[in-house]
């Protein structure tokens, strides 16, 4: 399967952590996953390396690096052995400073990460040391990155891979030669092979820049950047600004590009064609790049068409590897706990109309039978430990079920009514909105660091009385719960102060007792809606936190931010339970799967990842968006996912198969809000373009014929039916839509701030 | 350069770096500066890219200084302070050379600290909900264009509206002034506009109460002078209200004690103001107004006060309107007026008084017409005038016409007439000035000649009389029948001319028409200087009375009743002469003349309902539109009830 000639790929999970988050990793044993693919002990490394004899130049360099590493870590014995075995006797001084100079080049892109991890854990090395582990092709190429003292050692190591070079003048010749070749091949192969252009272009450009051929690099860029796909424009802009070797240090985008292999999916025929061409021409420059920096995922079968390729590409690191989406996902819903619905209320209503009781009964049965029968796709009930239901939760569930019986059945012919909640005088900037599930409260996060909560029912917000007042209360009385509330300070809204930066995300707990908010200041805060005070500040993200959400069962929550890591927390732990790392850029949005077993994250690297809460593994990587993903929504049955990005497109995904099943075009600006109706028939989307759009989700999902082939390869041909699926566009009064929410009766609520 | 454009990002020239280095006392070589410049550019681009992330997550489209500073902070760079202002910071260029800078004014903190206008905090952030779409059905057109009238008013606005209407229509004069002043300057009352327009349209129900009518007109004035209001189609409604005050035989005018003439003058002035300021809002408005004025004038059944209104209305619209409507109609109208004026029967006294009013108004209008006409053809006018001078002893009159003074108001109406949309391009038959003068002279005789000749001297730049201190002459006419040819001119000929003064002085930009320069015709024999000294009239009654008595020995003329018509001019300092033509007679009611018999009482004064009563009714847009339509298409639509 794996096409890289060097050998099989071991780890499909990559761990890429930014320097400043290292401390977190060090303190958190949960992160151990993801490093599994790499060698465990240094002696074994040494042994493996030693077995590669006689060493050619590359291996020699590698050996030197290993030796240096061993020495640094005081593994003198191993060092001795290795030295003897390889027959090398070298001056260590020579190597230490040589990384920058390029005389010794670390060509491998894998590292002895366990060792570096070790050193980090033991606190030997200081913070900036970080590990960039990618799929390690061969253990033979091992290099140490832990050279303390240099500011960004791993970056220079990573970049030093570019130091191998040919004649800079020939780069253009190589590239245009390849271009000519690809343009001359058969149509069916051309689209596939064209995928090579972009990564090749980037890497060649970087090589030129790294080797300080600035003029050639500029020429190269000017000549060929127009050929690249339009959806890479943003990256190209970053690239064009980068003209010096010095710039390459510390450039995150670049680091991403370098540390992760760009993944291409190419059919076997096309690949052979390319390979033959390059070998015939002895075009080693390009061939080297392809081997070093590209991961070509070869599949058997028909080459894909241009549209097929376009729909899947666009992410920072190419498409997802196919095996990344092979893991089984239990997308079914959990069995609902059985709750006795008190019948007396229902009977009262039944008296009103005669026809109703008959209708109701079968409905209830169907609900019951559904929950009794275990969904084959559902995870085990206790796969993730969930909090026990409290009495109040049960009451709420009963309310929910009652409301559900009054729910309006939506469809193309019966569209929901829309209520718009306009935030007026929000000069400070509204940045996030959330509704409670029962639509009784609305919370707004603002750029002035405040969180404000409003009651949208006539019931005012009441806090608990002060301690002094509480001591006066008759604690034996029946209505003690009522008496502890402070009627005097009751108001329509409450302001929560605590953050020291714009609040980018808010989320209510399902039981309406808590509110989460995350902010630019790097913290997630938990607020009590009883006392309207802050209970906990969760510190872990050292960078702005872009989004947070409570799990549908409460207790757990997920957060994601600028440090590219999504974290899973429990409200009673001050440290995260899981860290989901793998995204190559900021985690911009996070959502829980309805069954609480999975977390989905959208990122600025234009991929969506689905993470297993139990194992912490990434089980799905979904590519296809052409911009940062700012909104995500699961369908109520847990089977489908909708995602919206800055490019104004909504993509629909089948979680089980891990394939894209729809593309909804229509919005003209970033989609900040997505929500399925309670029954999953309608998808509502809210965007910066001041519109709410309704989509026929049923039709979108039904139209997909999932035969085995597409399911197996993920090569889906998307129908161009956005206009058929679009049910309506609803314009606001110059108000960007920040949030959409369906009430339990399927009334659509939307919210945004009016900014004239 | 081409490279720069292609790359699409800012680049810092090396010189800038050197200048900055010099500023902190470092001397850089060119090479270092070049390297630094490039690096700085790169860092700037990097920071900009990072800052866009903060913008996206704040769900904004606009990158702010704050975003940029956050990006800087997260890359451990000191933030840039001092640019947090929401206002634009425009780059200004230095005059010589290509130097641009951001203006950085020094602010005196002491002034700021001691300033009394402490800015209020912003309004409280709040959430409002409305059902935007029912069952997915709603208006598919963008909702941003909902007419102001259906906007739900906030409580504050409603309170403001109630307070203001109460103050304006209430008892307290001072309060009224304050309220009107606020109405004129408040920038936030756009949503209330339909409500006020509705209140104003209440004129039809208070036609018995001059005071209320006056106040409603003041509201109109405030509204049209408020620079923050876009009147839009409400202008029609306002115009129809004003026209009502000008033209209708108000219930209040039954009582001769009521000075409805002043009201009409004021309304005419308002009309010109409206057309002046907002005439372009509704196409054809000017033409429609002309049409309805013409109709009233041509209808002999209408009472004289309506005719008076039509004349002052035309006069307010400018001399071209007068030339187009009034002048051709004059000969026909004259016979009627003549009949009234020549009837010396006691029973006719009242009507006759009214007739004199009309006479005076026409005289003023015609005079203006002649002057403007003369001015517009300055040279030929002078020639013709000089001829006329020889013949008719008007000689001194025409030459001063060319003085720029009268250009002050030269032609708002003519501007509209010529350029206004929807006004038919038909030009009035060009009547040569001499012919016109001759014709007019036939009607007015020497009174015209005299007035005409003294034109330019009067206009006083500061001639502003507010309505409150306007000349009010309760009843200074003793007799009127005996006025003609009597030697005791100061008594019997004290006739109040229509108080066009008011309109003149309040709207100085008006084309100067009501230049009421009352010199008796006998003055024509006087020297110019003497006459010009006599222009000034008192602005208060007693003064006018006393001064009127000072002028004596007027030679009687064909229309000597008018000969001593005097106009107040607000140069109150030198009250020289004021012969007043009074349009009113006290204590006499004359009925039975045709002017009176046809007096239609469409809105009996019985309804004591004050306009205030309307304050609480919410107007519906449709209601605002309806009367306008009627007004457009029906003949006497102005008095159709709303």
């Amino acid at each position: 399967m794996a096409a890289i000639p060097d050998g099989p790929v071991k780890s499909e999970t990559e761990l890429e952590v930014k320097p400043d988050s290292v401390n977190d990793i060090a303190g958190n044993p949960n992160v151990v996953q993801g490093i599994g693919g790499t060698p465990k002990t240094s002696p074994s490394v040494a042994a493996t390396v030693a077995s590669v004899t006689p060493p050619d130049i590359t291996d020699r360099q590698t050996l030197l690096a290993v030796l240096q590493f061993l020495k640094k870590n005081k593994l003198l014995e191993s060092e001795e052995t290795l030295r003897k075995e390889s027959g090398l006797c070298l001056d260590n001084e020579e190597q230490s400073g040589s990384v920058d100079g390029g005389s010794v080049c670390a060509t491998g892109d894998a590292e002895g990460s366990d060792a570096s991890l070790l050193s980090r854990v033991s606190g030997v090395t200081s913070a900036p040391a970080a590990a960039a582990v990618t799929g390690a092709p061969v253990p033979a190429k091992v290099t140490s990155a832990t050279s303390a003292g240099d500011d960004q050692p791993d970056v220079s190591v990573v970049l030093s891979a570019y130091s191998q070079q040919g004649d800079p003048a020939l780069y253009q010749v190589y590239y245009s030669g390849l271009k000519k070749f690809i343009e001359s091949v058969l149509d069916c192969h051309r689209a596939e092979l064209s995928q090579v252009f972009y990564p090749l272009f980037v890497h060649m450009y970087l090589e030129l820049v790294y080797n300080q051929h600035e003029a050639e690099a500029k020429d190269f860029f000017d000549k060929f950047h127009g050929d690249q796909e339009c959806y890479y424009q943003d990256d190209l802009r970053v690239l064009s600004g980068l003209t010096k070797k010095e710039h390459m240090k510390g450039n995150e985008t670049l680091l991403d590009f370098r540390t992760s292999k760009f993944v291409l999916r190419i059919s076997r025929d096309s690949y052979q064609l390319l390979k033959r061409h390059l070998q015939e021409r002895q075009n080693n420059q390009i061939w080297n790049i392809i081997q070093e920096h590209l991961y070509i995922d070869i599949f058997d079968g028909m080459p894909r068409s241009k549209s097929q390729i376009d729909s899947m590409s666009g992410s920072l690191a190419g498409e997802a590897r196919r095996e990344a989406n092979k893991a089984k996902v239990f997308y079914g819903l959990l069995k609902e706990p059985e709750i006795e619905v008190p019948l007396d209320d229902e009977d009262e209503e039944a008296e009103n109309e005669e026809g109703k009781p008959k209708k109701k009964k079968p409905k209830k049965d169907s609900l019951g039978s559904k929950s009794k029968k275990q969904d084959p796709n559902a995870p085990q009930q206790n796969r993730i430990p969930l909090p026990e239901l409290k009495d109040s939760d049960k009451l709420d569930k009963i309310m929910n079920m009652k409301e559900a019986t009054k729910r309006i059945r939506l469809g193309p012919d019966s569209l929901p009514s829309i209520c718009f909640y306009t935030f007026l005088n929000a000069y400070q900037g509204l940045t996030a909105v959330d509704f409670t599930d029962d639509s009784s409260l609305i919370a707004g996060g603002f750029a002035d660091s405040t969180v404000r909560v409003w009651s949208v029912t006539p019931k005012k917000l009441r806090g608990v009385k002060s301690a002094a007042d509480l001591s006066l209360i008759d604690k034996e009385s029946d209505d003690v719960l009522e008496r502890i509330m402070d009627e005097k300070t009751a108001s329509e809204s409450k302001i929560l102060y605590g953050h020291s930066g714009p609040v980018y995300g808010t989320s209510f707990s399902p039981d309406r007792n808590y509110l989460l908010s995350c902010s630019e200041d790097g913290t997630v805060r938990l607020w009590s809606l009883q006392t309207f005070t802050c209970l906990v500040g969760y510190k872990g993200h050292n960078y702005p936190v872009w989004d947070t959400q409570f799990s549908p069962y409460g207790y757990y929550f997920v957060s994601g931010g600028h440090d590219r890591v999504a974290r899973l927390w429990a409200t009673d732990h001050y440290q995260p339970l899981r860290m989901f790392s793998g995204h190559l850029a900021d985690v911009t949005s996070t959502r829980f799967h309805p069954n609480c077993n999975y977390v989905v994250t959208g990122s600025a690297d234009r991929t969506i990842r689905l993470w297993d809460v139990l194992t912490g593994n990434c089980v799905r990587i979904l590519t296809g968006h052409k911009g940062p993903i700012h909104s995500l929504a699961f369908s109520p049955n847990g089977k489908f996912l909708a995602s919206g990005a800055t490019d104004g497109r909504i993509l629909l995904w089948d979680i089980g198969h891990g394939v894209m099943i729809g593309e909804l075009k229509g919005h003209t600006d970033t989609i900040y809000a997505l929500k399925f109706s309670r029954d999953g028939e309608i998808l509502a989307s809210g965007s910066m373009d001041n519109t709410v759009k309704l989509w026929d989700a049923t039709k979108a999902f039904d139209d997909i014929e999932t035969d085995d082939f597409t399911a197996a390869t993920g090569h889906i041909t998307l129908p161009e039916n956005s206009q058929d699926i679009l049910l309506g566009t609803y314009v606001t009064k110059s108000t960007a839509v920040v949030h959409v929410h369906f009430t339990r009766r399927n009334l659509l609520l939307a919210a945004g701030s009016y900014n004239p | 350069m081409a490279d720069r454009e292609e790359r699409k990002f800012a680049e810092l020239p090396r010189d800038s770096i050197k200048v900055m280095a010099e500023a902190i006392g470092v001397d850089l070589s060119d090479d270092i500066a070049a390297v630094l410049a490039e690096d700085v550019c790169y860092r700037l681009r990097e920071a900009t890219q990072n800052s866009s992330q903060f913008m996206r997550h704040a769900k904004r489209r606009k990158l702010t200084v704050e975003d940029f500073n956050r990006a800087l902070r997260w890359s451990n760079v000191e933030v840039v302070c001092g640019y947090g202002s929401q206002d634009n910071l425009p780059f200004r260029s230095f005059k010589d050379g290509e130097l641009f800078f951001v203006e950085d004014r020094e602010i005196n903190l002491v002034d700021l600290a001691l300033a009394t206008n402490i800015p209020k905090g912003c309004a409280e952030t709040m959430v409002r909900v409305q059902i935007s779409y029912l069952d997915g059905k709603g208006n598919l057109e963008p909702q941003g264009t909902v007419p102001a009238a259906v906007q739900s008013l906030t409580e504050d606005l409603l309170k403001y509206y109630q307070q203001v209407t109460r103050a304006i229509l209430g008892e307290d004069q001072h309060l009224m002034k304050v309220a009107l002043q606020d109405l004129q300057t408040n920038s936030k009352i756009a949503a209330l506009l339909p409500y006020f327009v509705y209140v104003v349209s209440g004129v039809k129900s208070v036609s018995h109460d001059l005071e209320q009518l006056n106040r409603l007109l003041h509201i109109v004035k405030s509204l049209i002078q408020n620079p923050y209001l876009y009147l839009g189609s409400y202008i029609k409604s306002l115009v129809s209200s004003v026209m009502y005050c000008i033209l209708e035989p108000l219930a209040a005018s039954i009582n001769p004690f009521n000075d409805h003439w002043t009201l009409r003058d004021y309304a005419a002035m308002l009309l010109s103001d409206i057309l002046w300021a907002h005439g372009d809002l509704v196409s054809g408005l000017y033409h429609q107004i002309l049409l309805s004025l013409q109709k009233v004038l041509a209808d002999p059944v209408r009472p004289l006060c309506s005719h008076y209104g039509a004349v002052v209305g035309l006069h307010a619209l400018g001399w071209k309107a007068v030339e187009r409507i009034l002048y051709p109609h004059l000969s026909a109208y004259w016979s009627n007026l003549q009949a009234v004026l020549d009837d010396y029967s006691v029973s006719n006294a009242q009507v006759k008084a009214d007739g004199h009013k009309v006479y005076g108004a026409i005289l003023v209008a015609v005079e203006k017409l002649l002057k403007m006409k003369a001015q517009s053809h300055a040279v030929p006018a002078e020639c013709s005038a000089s001829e006329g001078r020889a013949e008719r002893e008007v000689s001194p009159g025409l030459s001063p016409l060319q003085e720029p003074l009268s250009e002050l108001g030269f032609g708002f109406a003519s501007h509209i007439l010529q350029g206004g949309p929807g006004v038919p391009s038909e030009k009035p038959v060009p009547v040569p000035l001499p012919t016109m003068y001759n014709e007019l002279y036939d009607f007015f005789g020497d009174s015209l000649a005299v007035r005409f000749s003294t034109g330019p001297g009067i206009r006083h730049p500061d001639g502003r009389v507010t309505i409150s201190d306007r000349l009010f002459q309760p009843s200074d006419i003793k007799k009127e029948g005996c006025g003609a040819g009597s030697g005791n001119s100061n008594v019997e000929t004290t006739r109040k001319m229509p108080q066009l003064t008011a309109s003149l002085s309040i709207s100085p930009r008006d084309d100067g028409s009501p230049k009421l320069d009352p010199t008796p015709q006998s003055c024509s024999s006087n020297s110019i200087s003497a006459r010009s000294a006599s222009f000034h009239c008192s602005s208060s009654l007693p003064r006018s009375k006393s001064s009127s008595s000072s002028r004596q020995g007027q030679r009687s003329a064909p229309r000597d009743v008018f000969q001593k018509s005097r106009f107040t001019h607000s140069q109150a300092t030198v009250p020289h002469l004021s012969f007043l033509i009074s349009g009113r007679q006290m204590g006499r009611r004359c009925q039975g003349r045709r002017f009176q018999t046809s007096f239609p009482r469409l809105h009996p004064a019985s309804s004591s309902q004050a306009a205030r009563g309307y304050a609480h009714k919410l107007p519906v847009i449709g209601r605002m539109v309806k009367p306008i339509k009627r007004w457009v298409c029906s003949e006497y639509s102005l008095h159709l009830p709303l």
Side-chain angles (χ1 to χ4, degrees), chain A residues 282-294:
Chain A
Q282 307 248 304
N283 200 338
N284 287 327
Q285 199 70 34
I286 287 179
W287 187 241
N288 276 343
I289 290 175
I290 289 179
Q291 281 187 315
E292 294 282 339
H293 305 300
L294 266 52

Side-chain angles (χ1 to χ4, degrees), chain A residues 153-384:
Chain A
D154 59 329
V155 179
S156 24
V157 170
V158 162
L159 294 179
S160 66
Y162 283 123
S163 66
Q164 49 164 322
Q165 54 161 312
D167 183 355
L170 289 178
Y171 274 56
Q172 289 196 22
V173 180
Y174 291 149
Y175 189 87
S176 42
L178 183 69
K179 195 173 148 192
K180 212 172 284 167
F181 161 71
I182 289 179
E183 275 166 5
S184 67
V185 298
L186 284 176
D187 281 355
C188 61
H189 298 301
R190 191 187 303 148
E192 286 208 313
L193 291 180
S194 298
Q195 298 177 82
V196 178
F197 281 139
Y198 174 67
L200 213 57
F201 171 79
V202 174
H203 283 290
M204 288 172 86
Y205 176 74
L206 291 179
E207 262 185 44
L208 284 171
V209 170
Y210 184 81
N211 293 306
Q212 293 174 320
H213 306 294
E214 285 168 34
E216 286 89 348
K218 209 172 86 58
D219 281 350
F220 184 77
F221 190 91
D222 292 346
K223 188 156 181 193
F224 297 115
H225 82 275
D227 301 343
Q228 313 305 328
E229 299 285 352
C230 55
Y231 41 79
Y232 291 121
Q233 247 174 7
D234 288 347
D235 288 344
L236 287 178
R237 201 176 303 129
V238 176
L239 210 62
S240 70
L242 201 144
T243 52
K244 284 209 173 303
K245 185 181 171 185
E246 290 76 33
H247 299 161
M248 295 173 76
K249 284 184 193 170
N251 187 311
E252 290 163 1
T253 317
L254 184 64
L255 195 65
D256 298 334
F257 209 87
R258 186 56 199 86
T259 51
S260 59
K261 288 198 165 193
F262 198 93
V263 181
L264 302 173
R265 281 194 206 175
I266 293 184
S267 71
R268 189 171 294 284
D269 294 349
S270 305
Y271 179 70
Q272 296 295 349
L273 215 59
L274 179 69
K275 194 174 171 187
R276 208 178 311 134
H277 166 78
L278 291 175
Q279 281 170 350
E280 275 171 14
R281 297 286 179 88
Q282 307 248 304
N283 200 338
N284 287 327
Q285 199 70 34
I286 287 179
W287 187 241
N288 276 343
I289 290 175
I290 289 179
Q291 281 187 315
E292 294 282 339
H293 305 300
L294 266 52
Y295 177 93
I296 298 186
D297 192 353
I298 292 173
F299 63 88
D300 295 305
M302 287 274 289
R304 293 186 293 168
S305 71
K306 179 95 173 82
S307 67
Q308 278 177 320
I309 292 168
D310 279 350
S311 67
M312 298 286 284
S313 55
S315 99
L316 198 63
E319 296 179 44
R321 304 172 191 205
R322 268 174 304 152
E323 66 266 17
N325 290 339
K326 288 293 180 222
K328 170 141 178 76
V329 173
F330 304 101
Y331 56 80
L333 299 184
L334 293 180
K335 201 168 63 176
E336 287 292 322
E338 297 201 19
I339 300 167
E340 288 298 321
V341 179
L343 285 171
D344 43 9
D345 287 346
E346 302 246 336
D347 289 344
E348 273 174 35
E349 287 166 21
E351 286 170 8
N352 298 337
E353 283 180 60
E354 285 186 14
K356 271 206 173 171
K358 283 175 198 166
K359 274 184 196 167
K360 246 174 209 167
K361 281 235 166 134
K363 218 182 217 172
K364 223 190 294 168
D365 284 348
S366 68
L367 276 175
S369 63
K370 203 194 274 175
S371 56
K372 268 169 213 156
K373 192 173 67 189
Q374 176 74 24
D375 186 339
N377 290 312
Q380 275 185 325
Q381 201 70 14
N382 56 358
R383 189 165 179 267
I384 301 293

Side-chain angles (χ1 to χ4, degrees), chain A residues 364-681:
Chain A
K364 223 190 294 168
D365 284 348
S366 68
L367 276 175
S369 63
K370 203 194 274 175
S371 56
K372 268 169 213 156
K373 192 173 67 189
Q374 176 74 24
D375 186 339
N377 290 312
Q380 275 185 325
Q381 201 70 14
N382 56 358
R383 189 165 179 267
I384 301 293
L386 294 174
E388 297 233 334
L389 282 183
K390 292 178 297 216
D391 284 350
S392 58
D393 297 333
K394 285 179 185 162
L395 275 175
D396 196 52
K397 282 235 185 301
I398 292 169
M399 281 301 295
N400 194 355
M401 285 166 74
K402 276 191 198 163
E403 294 274 310
T405 58
K406 296 174 191 163
R407 184 180 295 161
I408 297 161
R409 189 131 185 112
L410 297 180
D413 302 323
S414 60
L415 294 175
S417 302
I418 306 176
C419 277
F420 202 95
Y421 285 79
T422 313
F423 287 74
L424 300 171
N425 304 321
Y427 304 109
Q428 65 273 54
L430 176 73
T431 45
V433 174
D434 195 34
F435 284 98
T436 54
D437 186 64
D438 68 348
S439 316
S440 64
L441 300 175
I442 183 171
F446 292 88
D448 66 352
S449 317
T450 59
V451 180
R452 289 157 201 256
V453 184
W454 283 269
S455 169
V456 298
T457 59
K459 212 169 123 190
K460 289 190 170 178
L461 297 176
R462 295 177 304 174
V464 175
K465 284 178 183 167
S466 68
D469 292 339
L470 281 177
S471 62
L472 302 174
I473 290 175
D474 175 16
K475 292 169 188 66
E476 302 303 318
S477 74
D478 291 340
D479 58 345
V480 66
L481 286 179
E482 194 58 31
R483 290 189 183 200
I484 60 169
M485 307 311 282
D486 192 353
E487 209 56 66
K488 270 180 230 153
T489 60
S491 62
E492 200 180 72
S493 81
K494 297 270 186 187
I495 307 181
L496 309 175
Y497 296 103
H499 281 295
S500 60
V503 178
Y504 291 123
T506 55
S507 175
F508 281 105
S509 73
D511 60 3
R512 294 187 297 286
N513 282 328
Y514 304 106
L515 174 69
L516 276 175
S517 64
C518 63
S519 156
E520 191 246 12
D521 62 12
T523 61
V524 180
R525 282 180 185 270
L526 182 74
W527 309 85
S528 164
L529 297 181
Q530 300 295 331
T531 60
F532 294 98
T533 53
C534 183
L535 301 176
V536 199
Y538 299 95
K539 296 173 184 171
H541 292 278
N542 288 326
Y543 283 94
V545 188
W546 298 133
D547 198 10
T548 186
Q549 202 210 9
F550 252 114
S551 101
Y553 293 88
Y555 186 61
Y556 300 108
F557 65 92
V558 63
S559 65
H562 180 62
D563 58 5
R564 306 164 181 213
V565 180
R567 286 168 162 81
L568 179 83
W569 311 74
T571 49
D572 55 357
H573 287 60
Y574 67 92
Q575 285 189 324
L577 303 179
R578 294 282 184 277
M579 293 178 55
F580 308 113
S581 59
H583 277 299
L584 300 176
D586 304 31
V587 177
T588 49
S589 68
T590 55
R591 284 291 174 271
F592 257 100
H593 191 275
N595 69 16
C596 196
N597 278 255
Y598 296 92
V599 163
V600 70
T601 56
S603 163
D605 68 7
R606 310 189 284 270
T607 63
I608 299 162
R609 283 172 186 249
L610 187 73
W611 310 86
D612 190 336
V613 167
L614 182 68
T615 63
N617 287 333
C618 175
V619 290
R620 289 286 179 273
I621 302 176
L622 309 171
T623 62
H625 272 298
K626 318 289 190 246
I629 291 137
H630 277 272
S631 53
L632 293 163
F634 278 104
S635 68
N637 60 12
K639 241 178 123 175
F640 304 106
L641 175 70
S643 59
T646 55
D647 57 8
R649 300 183 314 148
I650 300 166
L651 296 184
L652 303 174
W653 309 89
D654 182 331
I655 304 280
H657 296 108
V659 293
M660 189 194 300
I661 52 172
E663 178 189 20
L664 308 177
K665 292 184 212 165
H667 281 295
T668 57
D669 211 330
T670 307
I671 295 156
Y672 279 116
L674 278 175
K675 193 86 178 188
F676 282 96
S677 70
R678 294 281 172 158
D679 297 320
E681 283 120 343

